[in-house]
Amino acid sequence: GSSLSGLALPWFVLETTHSTSRMGLVFAVEVLPFVLFGLHAGVVVDRLGPRATMLVSDLARAPVIALVPFLHATGGLSYPLILAVAFVHGGLSTAYFTCQRAVIVPIVGTVEQDVARANTFLEGATNFTSFAGPALAGVLIGLLGAVNVMWIDAGSYLVSFVLVAVFVRVARDVYDR
């Protein structure tokens, strides 16, 4: 999902402003939270636990991304607001991506082979989506437009929320004190 917004939001800015500088700034602002908060995202995971953090991140990213096409349709969208959306989306994504690694041990336990197998699966899925996600986003942007791709991405976060809620069961919470 985040690969869709990662391309659709800057592309939307390029389409609406015709400014490559503004497009680049949106991309940079969305990546900035990874740099600023990446090391500290573990504090959030420590407080909420990895599963809860993933659920909160997904549930929050859906309306954040949906805000852009909604405000665009209603005439209330501004460039500073797009920058704010990009920053908040990047921050929520930082917490989510931190949890993807942190949730492995609570799910599969501490047996080294199980952890290695789960990590291999996660890395394979991450690498696949890093490759296929932007390609899919490009095709969808060409077919449906950037605004509609952001609607789809908002929906994908809701689907992710449901999938995590239903299928991610933590055997033990390594973060309990």
Side-chain angles (χ1 to χ4, degrees):
S2 59
S3 293
L4 297 179
S5 296
L7 189 58
L9 187 58
W11 192 268
F12 171 77
V13 170
L14 180 63
E15 283 180 342
T16 57
T17 68
H18 306 290
S19 170
T20 55
S21 298
R22 284 185 170 205
M23 178 189 76
L25 185 58
V26 167
F27 177 75
V29 166
E30 189 166 22
V31 174
L32 186 61
F34 286 94
V35 176
L36 295 176
F37 309 127
L39 293 175
H40 306 292
V43 173
V44 173
V45 175
D46 188 39
R47 294 227 166 98
L48 294 177
R51 182 177 180 272
T53 304
M54 291 173 81
L55 290 169
V56 168
S57 294
D58 276 337
L59 202 54
R61 287 188 294 177
V64 166
I65 284 302
L67 192 61
V68 174
F70 175 77
L71 290 177
H72 176 68
T74 61
L77 188 62
S78 67
Y79 183 68
L81 188 55
I82 291 172
L83 292 174
V85 164
F87 187 80
V88 170
H89 182 259
L92 292 166
S93 295
T94 300
Y96 186 90
F97 293 136
T98 299
C99 291
Q100 285 183 314
R101 303 302 182 273
V103 79
I104 290 175
V105 171
I107 291 173
V108 302
T110 58
V111 175
E112 189 174 338
Q113 289 177 330
D114 294 340
V115 172
R117 210 172 295 126
N119 193 50
T120 299
F121 176 75
L122 178 61
E123 287 302 318
T126 299
N127 288 331
F128 176 75
T129 57
S130 294
F131 171 75
L136 177 61
V139 169
L140 290 175
I141 289 168
L143 292 173
L144 306 172
V147 169
N148 291 323
V149 171
M150 284 184 274
W151 281 120
I152 292 168
D153 200 26
S156 78
Y157 290 128
L158 296 176
V159 169
S160 178
F161 173 84
V162 169
L163 292 174
V164 170
V166 171
F167 293 112
V168 175
R169 293 288 172 240
V170 177
R172 62 182 181 81
D173 195 349
V174 296
Y175 302 98
D176 283 346
R177 294 192 191 330

Coordinates of all heavy atoms in Angstrom, one line a residue, residues 31-118:
V31 N 9.8 11.2 3.4 CA 10.9 10.3 3.8 C 11.6 10.9 5.1 O 12.2 10.1 5.9 CB 12.0 10.2 2.7 CG1 13.2 9.4 3.1 CG2 11.3 9.5 1.5
L32 N 11.4 12.1 5.4 CA 12.1 12.8 6.5 C 11.8 12.1 7.9 O 12.7 11.9 8.7 CB 11.7 14.3 6.6 CG 12.4 15.1 7.6 CD1 13.9 15.1 7.4 CD2 11.8 16.6 7.5
P33 N 10.5 11.7 8.1 CA 10.3 11.0 9.4 C 11.1 9.7 9.6 O 11.5 9.4 10.7 CB 8.8 10.7 9.4 CG 8.2 11.7 8.5 CD 9.3 12.0 7.4
F34 N 11.4 9.0 8.5 CA 12.3 7.8 8.6 C 13.6 8.2 9.2 O 14.2 7.5 10.0 CB 12.4 7.1 7.3 CG 11.2 6.4 6.8 CD1 10.3 7.0 6.0 CD2 11.0 5.1 7.2 CE1 9.2 6.3 5.6 CE2 9.9 4.4 6.8 CZ 9.0 5.0 6.0
V35 N 14.2 9.4 8.7 CA 15.5 9.8 9.2 C 15.4 10.4 10.6 O 16.2 10.1 11.5 CB 16.0 10.9 8.2 CG1 17.3 11.5 8.8 CG2 16.2 10.4 6.8
L36 N 14.3 11.2 10.9 CA 14.2 11.8 12.2 C 13.8 10.9 13.3 O 14.2 11.0 14.4 CB 13.2 13.0 12.1 CG 13.6 14.2 11.2 CD1 12.4 15.1 11.2 CD2 14.8 14.8 11.7
F37 N 12.9 10.0 13.0 CA 12.2 9.1 14.0 C 12.5 7.7 13.9 O 12.1 6.9 14.8 CB 10.7 9.3 14.0 CG 10.3 10.8 14.0 CD1 9.4 11.2 13.1 CD2 10.7 11.6 15.0 CE1 9.0 12.6 13.1 CE2 10.3 13.0 15.0 CZ 9.4 13.4 14.0
G38 N 13.3 7.3 12.9 CA 13.5 5.8 12.7 C 14.1 5.1 13.9 O 13.7 4.1 14.3
L39 N 15.1 5.8 14.5 CA 15.8 5.2 15.6 C 14.9 5.2 16.9 O 15.0 4.4 17.8 CB 17.1 5.9 15.9 CG 18.2 5.7 14.9 CD1 19.4 6.6 15.2 CD2 18.6 4.3 14.7
H40 N 14.0 6.2 16.9 CA 13.1 6.3 18.1 C 11.8 5.6 18.0 O 11.0 5.6 18.9 CB 12.9 7.8 18.4 CG 14.2 8.5 18.5 ND1 15.1 8.3 19.6 CD2 14.8 9.4 17.7 CE1 16.1 9.1 19.4 NE2 16.0 9.8 18.3
A41 N 11.5 5.1 16.8 CA 10.2 4.4 16.6 C 10.1 3.2 17.6 O 8.9 2.8 17.9 CB 10.0 3.9 15.2
G42 N 11.2 2.7 18.0 CA 11.1 1.5 18.9 C 10.5 1.9 20.2 O 9.9 1.0 20.9
V43 N 10.5 3.2 20.6 CA 9.9 3.6 21.9 C 8.4 3.4 21.7 O 7.7 3.0 22.7 CB 10.3 5.1 22.2 CG1 9.5 5.6 23.4 CG2 11.7 5.2 22.4
V44 N 7.8 3.8 20.6 CA 6.4 3.6 20.4 C 6.0 2.1 20.4 O 5.1 1.7 21.1 CB 6.0 4.2 19.0 CG1 4.5 3.9 18.7 CG2 6.2 5.7 19.0
V45 N 6.8 1.3 19.7 CA 6.6 -0.1 19.7 C 6.7 -0.7 21.1 O 5.9 -1.5 21.5 CB 7.6 -0.8 18.8 CG1 7.5 -2.3 18.8 CG2 7.4 -0.3 17.4
D46 N 7.7 -0.2 21.9 CA 7.8 -0.7 23.3 C 6.6 -0.3 24.1 O 6.2 -1.2 25.0 CB 9.1 0.0 23.9 CG 9.5 -0.6 25.2 OD1 9.4 -1.8 25.4 OD2 9.9 0.2 26.1
R47 N 6.0 0.8 23.9 CA 4.9 1.2 24.7 C 3.6 0.5 24.3 O 2.8 0.0 25.1 CB 4.7 2.7 24.6 CG 5.8 3.5 25.3 CD 5.4 4.6 26.2 NE 6.5 5.0 27.0 CZ 7.2 6.1 26.8 NH1 6.9 6.8 25.7 NH2 8.2 6.4 27.6
L48 N 3.3 0.5 23.0 CA 2.1 -0.1 22.5 C 2.2 -1.6 22.2 O 1.1 -2.3 22.2 CB 1.6 0.6 21.2 CG 1.2 2.1 21.3 CD1 0.9 2.6 19.9 CD2 0.1 2.2 22.2
G49 N 3.3 -2.1 21.9 CA 3.5 -3.4 21.4 C 3.5 -3.4 19.9 O 2.9 -2.5 19.3
P50 N 4.1 -4.4 19.2 CA 4.2 -4.3 17.8 C 2.8 -4.5 17.1 O 2.6 -3.8 16.1 CB 5.1 -5.4 17.4 CG 5.2 -6.3 18.6 CD 4.9 -5.5 19.8
R51 N 2.0 -5.4 17.5 CA 0.7 -5.6 16.9 C -0.2 -4.3 17.0 O -0.8 -3.9 16.0 CB 0.0 -6.8 17.5 CG -1.3 -7.1 16.8 CD -1.9 -8.4 17.4 NE -3.2 -8.7 16.8 CZ -4.3 -8.3 17.2 NH1 -4.4 -7.5 18.2 NH2 -5.5 -8.6 16.6
A52 N -0.3 -3.8 18.2 CA -1.1 -2.6 18.4 C -0.6 -1.4 17.6 O -1.3 -0.7 17.0 CB -1.2 -2.3 19.9
T53 N 0.7 -1.3 17.5 CA 1.3 -0.2 16.7 C 1.0 -0.3 15.2 O 0.7 0.6 14.6 CB 2.9 -0.1 16.9 OG1 3.1 0.0 18.3 CG2 3.5 1.1 16.2
M54 N 1.1 -1.6 14.7 CA 0.7 -1.8 13.3 C -0.8 -1.5 13.1 O -1.1 -0.8 12.1 CB 1.0 -3.3 13.0 CG 2.5 -3.6 12.9 SD 2.8 -5.4 12.7 CE 2.6 -5.5 10.9
L55 N -1.6 -1.9 14.0 CA -3.1 -1.6 13.9 C -3.3 -0.1 13.9 O -4.1 0.4 13.0 CB -3.9 -2.3 15.0 CG -3.9 -3.8 14.8 CD1 -4.5 -4.4 16.1 CD2 -4.7 -4.2 13.6
V56 N -2.7 0.6 14.8 CA -2.9 2.1 14.9 C -2.4 2.8 13.7 O -3.0 3.7 13.1 CB -2.2 2.6 16.2 CG1 -2.2 4.2 16.2 CG2 -3.0 2.2 17.4
S57 N -1.2 2.3 13.2 CA -0.6 2.9 12.0 C -1.5 2.7 10.8 O -1.7 3.7 10.0 CB 0.8 2.3 11.8 OG 1.7 2.6 12.8
D58 N -2.0 1.5 10.6 CA -2.8 1.3 9.4 C -4.1 2.1 9.5 O -4.6 2.7 8.6 CB -3.2 -0.2 9.3 CG -2.2 -1.0 8.6 OD1 -1.4 -0.4 7.8 OD2 -2.1 -2.2 8.8
L59 N -4.7 2.1 10.7 CA -6.0 2.8 10.9 C -5.8 4.3 10.7 O -6.7 5.0 10.2 CB -6.6 2.5 12.3 CG -8.1 2.7 12.4 CD1 -8.9 1.9 11.4 CD2 -8.5 2.2 13.8
A60 N -4.7 4.8 11.1 CA -4.4 6.3 11.0 C -4.0 6.7 9.5 O -4.4 7.7 9.1 CB -3.4 6.7 12.0
R61 N -3.2 5.8 8.9 CA -2.8 6.1 7.5 C -3.9 6.2 6.5 O -3.9 7.0 5.5 CB -1.7 5.1 7.0 CG -0.4 5.3 7.7 CD 0.7 4.5 7.1 NE 0.5 3.1 7.3 CZ 1.3 2.1 6.9 NH1 2.3 2.4 6.1 NH2 1.0 0.8 7.1
A62 N -5.0 5.4 6.7 CA -6.1 5.4 5.8 C -6.7 6.8 5.6 O -6.8 7.4 4.5 CB -7.2 4.4 6.2
P63 N -7.1 7.5 6.7 CA -7.7 8.8 6.5 C -6.7 9.9 6.2 O -7.0 10.9 5.5 CB -8.4 9.1 7.9 CG -7.7 8.2 8.9 CD -7.3 7.0 8.1
V64 N -5.5 9.7 6.6 CA -4.4 10.7 6.3 C -4.3 10.7 4.8 O -4.3 11.8 4.2 CB -3.1 10.3 7.0 CG1 -1.9 11.1 6.4 CG2 -3.2 10.6 8.5
I65 N -4.1 9.6 4.1 CA -4.0 9.6 2.6 C -5.3 10.0 2.0 O -5.3 10.7 1.0 CB -3.5 8.2 2.2 CG1 -2.0 8.1 2.5 CG2 -3.7 8.0 0.7 CD1 -1.1 9.1 1.9
A66 N -6.4 9.5 2.5 CA -7.7 9.9 1.9 C -8.0 11.4 2.0 O -8.8 11.9 1.2 CB -8.8 9.1 2.5
L67 N -7.3 12.1 2.9 CA -7.5 13.5 3.0 C -7.1 14.3 1.7 O -7.8 15.2 1.4 CB -6.7 14.0 4.2 CG -6.9 15.4 4.7 CD1 -8.4 15.5 5.2 CD2 -6.0 15.7 5.8
V68 N -6.1 13.8 1.0 CA -5.7 14.5 -0.2 C -6.7 14.5 -1.3 O -7.2 15.5 -1.8 CB -4.3 14.0 -0.7 CG1 -3.9 14.7 -2.0 CG2 -3.2 14.3 0.4
P69 N -7.2 13.3 -1.7 CA -8.2 13.3 -2.7 C -9.5 13.9 -2.3 O -10.2 14.6 -3.1 CB -8.4 11.8 -3.1 CG -7.8 11.1 -2.0 CD -6.8 11.9 -1.4
F70 N -9.9 13.8 -1.0 CA -11.1 14.4 -0.5 C -11.1 15.9 -0.5 O -12.0 16.5 -1.1 CB -11.4 13.9 1.0 CG -12.6 14.6 1.6 CD1 -13.8 14.2 1.3 CD2 -12.4 15.6 2.5 CE1 -14.9 14.8 1.8 CE2 -13.5 16.3 3.1 CZ -14.8 15.9 2.7
L71 N -10.0 16.5 0.0 CA -9.9 17.9 0.0 C -9.7 18.5 -1.5 O -10.1 19.6 -1.8 CB -8.7 18.4 0.9 CG -9.0 18.2 2.4 CD1 -7.8 18.6 3.2 CD2 -10.2 19.0 2.8
H72 N -9.0 17.7 -2.3 CA -8.9 18.1 -3.7 C -10.3 18.2 -4.4 O -10.6 19.1 -5.1 CB -8.0 17.1 -4.5 CG -7.9 17.3 -5.9 ND1 -7.3 18.4 -6.4 CD2 -8.4 16.6 -7.0 CE1 -7.4 18.4 -7.8 NE2 -8.0 17.3 -8.1
A73 N -11.2 17.2 -4.1 CA -12.5 17.2 -4.6 C -13.4 18.3 -4.1 O -14.2 18.8 -4.8 CB -13.2 15.8 -4.4
T74 N -13.1 18.7 -2.9 CA -14.0 19.7 -2.2 C -13.4 21.1 -2.3 O -14.0 22.1 -1.9 CB -14.2 19.4 -0.7 OG1 -13.0 19.4 -0.1 CG2 -14.9 18.1 -0.6
G75 N -12.2 21.2 -2.9 CA -11.5 22.5 -3.1 C -10.8 23.1 -1.9 O -10.4 24.2 -1.9
G76 N -10.5 22.2 -0.9 CA -9.9 22.7 0.3 C -8.4 22.3 0.4 O -7.9 22.4 1.5
L77 N -7.8 21.9 -0.7 CA -6.4 21.4 -0.6 C -5.4 22.5 -0.9 O -5.6 23.2 -1.9 CB -6.3 20.2 -1.6 CG -5.0 19.4 -1.5 CD1 -4.8 18.8 -0.1 CD2 -4.9 18.4 -2.6
S78 N -4.4 22.5 -0.1 CA -3.3 23.5 -0.4 C -2.0 22.7 -0.3 O -1.9 21.6 0.2 CB -3.3 24.5 0.7 OG -2.9 24.0 2.0
Y79 N -0.9 23.3 -0.9 CA 0.4 22.7 -0.9 C 0.9 22.5 0.5 O 1.4 21.4 0.8 CB 1.3 23.5 -1.8 CG 2.7 22.8 -1.9 CD1 2.8 21.6 -2.6 CD2 3.8 23.4 -1.4 CE1 4.1 21.0 -2.7 CE2 5.0 22.8 -1.4 CZ 5.2 21.6 -2.1 OH 6.4 21.0 -2.2
P80 N 0.8 23.4 1.4 CA 1.3 23.2 2.8 C 0.6 22.0 3.4 O 1.2 21.2 4.2 CB 1.0 24.5 3.5 CG 1.1 25.5 2.4 CD 0.5 24.9 1.2
L81 N -0.7 21.8 3.1 CA -1.4 20.7 3.7 C -0.9 19.4 3.1 O -0.8 18.4 3.8 CB -2.9 20.9 3.4 CG -3.8 19.9 4.1 CD1 -3.6 19.8 5.6 CD2 -5.3 20.2 3.8
I82 N -0.6 19.4 1.8 CA 0.0 18.2 1.2 C 1.3 17.8 1.9 O 1.6 16.7 2.2 CB 0.2 18.4 -0.3 CG1 -1.2 18.4 -1.0 CG2 1.0 17.2 -0.9 CD1 -1.1 18.8 -2.5
L83 N 2.1 18.8 2.2 CA 3.4 18.6 2.9 C 3.1 18.0 4.3 O 3.8 17.1 4.7 CB 4.2 19.9 3.0 CG 4.8 20.4 1.7 CD1 5.4 21.8 1.9 CD2 5.7 19.4 1.1
A84 N 2.1 18.5 5.0 CA 1.8 18.0 6.3 C 1.3 16.5 6.2 O 1.7 15.7 7.0 CB 0.7 18.9 6.9
V85 N 0.5 16.2 5.2 CA 0.0 14.9 5.0 C 1.2 14.0 4.7 O 1.3 12.9 5.3 CB -1.0 14.8 3.8 CG1 -1.2 13.4 3.4 CG2 -2.3 15.4 4.3
A86 N 2.1 14.4 3.9 CA 3.3 13.6 3.5 C 4.1 13.3 4.8 O 4.6 12.2 5.0 CB 4.1 14.3 2.5
F87 N 4.3 14.3 5.6 CA 5.1 14.1 6.9 C 4.4 13.2 7.8 O 5.0 12.3 8.4 CB 5.3 15.5 7.5 CG 6.3 15.4 8.7 CD1 7.6 15.4 8.5 CD2 5.8 15.4 10.0 CE1 8.5 15.3 9.5 CE2 6.7 15.3 11.1 CZ 8.0 15.2 10.8
V88 N 3.1 13.4 8.1 CA 2.4 12.5 9.0 C 2.3 11.1 8.4 O 2.6 10.1 9.2 CB 1.0 13.0 9.2 CG1 0.1 12.0 10.0 CG2 1.0 14.3 10.0
H89 N 2.1 10.9 7.1 CA 2.1 9.6 6.5 C 3.5 8.9 6.7 O 3.5 7.7 7.0 CB 1.7 9.7 5.0 CG 1.6 8.4 4.4 ND1 2.6 7.9 3.6 CD2 0.7 7.4 4.4 CE1 2.3 6.7 3.1 NE2 1.1 6.4 3.6
G90 N 4.5 9.7 6.5 CA 5.9 9.1 6.7 C 6.1 8.7 8.1 O 6.7 7.7 8.4
G91 N 5.6 9.5 9.0 CA 5.8 9.2 10.5 C 5.1 7.9 10.8 O 5.6 7.0 11.5
L92 N 3.8 7.8 10.4 CA 3.1 6.6 10.7 C 3.7 5.3 10.0 O 3.7 4.2 10.6 CB 1.6 6.8 10.2 CG 0.8 7.8 11.0 CD1 -0.5 8.1 10.3 CD2 0.5 7.3 12.4
S93 N 4.2 5.5 8.8 CA 4.8 4.4 8.1 C 6.1 4.0 8.8 O 6.4 2.8 8.8 CB 5.1 4.8 6.6 OG 3.9 5.0 5.9
T94 N 6.8 5.0 9.4 CA 8.1 4.6 10.1 C 7.7 3.7 11.2 O 8.4 2.7 11.4 CB 8.7 5.9 10.6 OG1 9.1 6.8 9.5 CG2 10.0 5.6 11.4
A95 N 6.7 4.0 12.0 CA 6.3 3.1 13.1 C 5.9 1.8 12.6 O 6.3 0.7 13.2 CB 5.2 3.8 13.9
Y96 N 5.1 1.7 11.5 CA 4.7 0.5 11.0 C 5.8 -0.4 10.5 O 5.9 -1.6 10.9 CB 3.7 0.7 9.8 CG 3.1 -0.6 9.3 CD1 1.9 -1.0 9.8 CD2 3.7 -1.3 8.3 CE1 1.3 -2.2 9.4 CE2 3.1 -2.5 7.9 CZ 1.9 -2.9 8.4 OH 1.3 -4.1 8.0
F97 N 6.8 0.2 9.8 CA 7.9 -0.6 9.2 C 8.8 -1.1 10.4 O 9.4 -2.2 10.3 CB 8.7 0.1 8.2 CG 7.9 0.4 7.0 CD1 7.9 1.6 6.4 CD2 7.1 -0.6 6.4 CE1 7.2 1.9 5.2 CE2 6.3 -0.3 5.2 CZ 6.4 0.9 4.6
T98 N 8.9 -0.4 11.4 CA 9.6 -0.8 12.6 C 9.0 -2.1 13.2 O 9.7 -3.0 13.5 CB 9.7 0.3 13.7 OG1 10.4 1.4 13.1 CG2 10.4 -0.2 14.9
C99 N 7.7 -2.1 13.2 CA 6.9 -3.2 13.8 C 7.0 -4.5 12.9 O 7.0 -5.6 13.5 CB 5.5 -2.9 13.9 SG 5.2 -1.7 15.2
Q100 N 7.2 -4.3 11.7 CA 7.3 -5.5 10.8 C 8.4 -6.4 11.3 O 8.3 -7.6 11.2 CB 7.5 -5.1 9.3 CG 6.3 -4.6 8.7 CD 6.5 -4.3 7.2 OE1 7.5 -3.7 6.9 NE2 5.6 -4.8 6.4
R101 N 9.5 -5.8 11.7 CA 10.6 -6.6 12.2 C 10.4 -7.1 13.7 O 10.7 -8.2 14.1 CB 11.9 -5.9 12.1 CG 12.3 -5.4 10.8 CD 12.4 -6.5 9.7 NE 12.9 -6.0 8.4 CZ 12.0 -5.6 7.5 NH1 10.8 -5.4 7.7 NH2 12.5 -5.3 6.3
A102 N 9.9 -6.1 14.5 CA 9.7 -6.4 15.9 C 8.7 -7.4 16.2 O 8.7 -8.0 17.3 CB 9.3 -5.1 16.6
V103 N 7.7 -7.6 15.3 CA 6.6 -8.6 15.6 C 7.0 -10.0 15.3 O 6.3 -10.9 15.7 CB 5.4 -8.2 14.8 CG1 5.4 -8.6 13.3 CG2 4.1 -8.7 15.4
I104 N 8.2 -10.2 14.7 CA 8.6 -11.6 14.3 C 8.7 -12.5 15.5 O 8.1 -13.6 15.6 CB 9.8 -11.6 13.4 CG1 9.5 -11.0 12.1 CG2 10.4 -13.0 13.3 CD1 10.7 -10.9 11.2
V105 N 9.5 -12.1 16.5 CA 9.8 -12.9 17.7 C 8.5 -13.2 18.5 O 8.2 -14.3 18.9 CB 10.9 -12.4 18.5 CG1 11.0 -13.1 19.8 CG2 12.2 -12.5 17.7
P106 N 7.7 -12.1 18.7 CA 6.4 -12.4 19.5 C 5.5 -13.3 18.7 O 4.7 -14.1 19.4 CB 5.8 -11.0 19.6 CG 6.9 -10.0 19.5 CD 7.9 -10.7 18.6
I107 N 5.5 -13.4 17.4 CA 4.7 -14.3 16.7 C 5.2 -15.7 16.6 O 4.5 -16.7 16.9 CB 4.4 -13.8 15.2 CG1 3.6 -12.5 15.3 CG2 3.7 -14.8 14.4 CD1 3.4 -11.9 13.9
V108 N 6.5 -15.9 16.2 CA 7.0 -17.2 16.0 C 7.8 -17.8 17.2 O 8.1 -18.9 17.2 CB 7.9 -17.3 14.7 CG1 7.1 -16.8 13.5 CG2 9.2 -16.5 14.9
G109 N 8.1 -16.9 18.2 CA 8.9 -17.4 19.3 C 10.4 -17.2 19.1 O 10.8 -16.5 18.1
T110 N 11.2 -17.8 19.9 CA 12.6 -17.5 19.9 C 13.5 -18.6 19.3 O 14.7 -18.5 19.3 CB 13.1 -17.2 21.3 OG1 12.9 -18.4 22.1 CG2 12.5 -16.0 21.9
V111 N 12.8 -19.6 18.7 CA 13.6 -20.7 18.0 C 14.3 -20.1 16.8 O 13.6 -19.5 15.9 CB 12.7 -21.9 17.6 CG1 13.5 -22.9 16.8 CG2 12.1 -22.5 18.9
E112 N 15.6 -20.2 16.7 CA 16.4 -19.5 15.7 C 15.9 -19.8 14.3 O 15.8 -18.9 13.5 CB 17.8 -19.8 15.9 CG 18.8 -19.0 15.0 CD 20.2 -19.2 15.3 OE1 20.6 -19.7 16.4 OE2 21.0 -18.9 14.4
Q113 N 15.6 -21.1 14.0 CA 15.2 -21.4 12.7 C 13.9 -20.8 12.3 O 13.7 -20.4 11.2 CB 15.1 -23.0 12.6 CG 16.5 -23.6 12.6 CD 16.4 -25.1 12.5 OE1 15.4 -25.7 13.0 NE2 17.3 -25.8 11.9
D114 N 12.9 -20.8 13.3 CA 11.6 -20.1 13.0 C 11.8 -18.6 12.7 O 11.1 -18.1 11.8 CB 10.7 -20.4 14.2 CG 10.3 -21.8 14.3 OD1 10.5 -22.6 13.4 OD2 9.9 -22.2 15.5
V115 N 12.6 -18.0 13.5 CA 12.9 -16.6 13.4 C 13.5 -16.3 12.0 O 13.1 -15.4 11.3 CB 13.7 -16.0 14.5 CG1 14.1 -14.6 14.2 CG2 13.0 -16.1 15.8
A116 N 14.5 -17.1 11.6 CA 15.2 -17.0 10.3 C 14.2 -17.2 9.2 O 14.2 -16.4 8.2 CB 16.4 -18.0 10.2
R117 N 13.4 -18.2 9.3 CA 12.4 -18.5 8.2 C 11.4 -17.3 8.1 O 11.1 -16.9 7.0 CB 11.6 -19.8 8.6 CG 11.2 -20.5 7.4 CD 10.6 -21.9 7.7 NE 11.7 -22.8 8.3 CZ 11.6 -23.4 9.4 NH1 10.5 -23.4 10.2 NH2 12.6 -24.2 9.8
A118 N 10.9 -16.8 9.2 CA 10.0 -15.7 9.2 C 10.6 -14.5 8.6 O 10.0 -13.7 7.8 CB 9.4 -15.4 10.6

